[in-house]
């Protein structure tokens, strides 16, 4: 997964607005607040609450 550090710093969870952290092995972004897990497809984060899964 190739998400630049500067982009990861400005991305936020659409549900709770908390920062996201990258899970490179699983190609996912995990919310540090509510814990929702967002997929990354073709190096593009899919930040839709409907597409997220719960931990």
């Amino acid at each position: 997964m190739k998400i630049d550090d500067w982009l990861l710093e400005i991305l936020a969870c659409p549900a709770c607005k908390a920062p996201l952290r990258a899970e490179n092995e699983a190609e996912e972004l995990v919310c540090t607040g509510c814990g929702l897990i967002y997929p990354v497809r073709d190096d593009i984060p899919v930040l839709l609450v409907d597409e997220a899964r719960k931990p």
Side-chain angles (χ1 to χ4, degrees):
M1 176 171 68
K2 297 178 184 177
I3 297 181
D4 293 332
D5 290 335
W6 64 268
L7 179 59
L8 194 56
E9 288 178 17
I10 61 173
L11 289 178
C13 175
C16 72
K17 310 298 186 244
L20 299 171
R21 65 178 166 82
E23 290 290 330
N24 289 326
E25 293 177 9
E27 293 194 1
E28 297 174 327
L29 295 176
V30 179
C31 177
T32 58
C34 66
L36 287 176
I37 302 168
Y38 297 93
V40 177
R41 297 186 187 122
D42 298 325
D43 294 331
I44 300 171
V46 181
L47 297 179
L48 300 171
V49 176
D50 293 340
E51 293 284 326
R53 64 181 176 87
K54 296 183 181 187

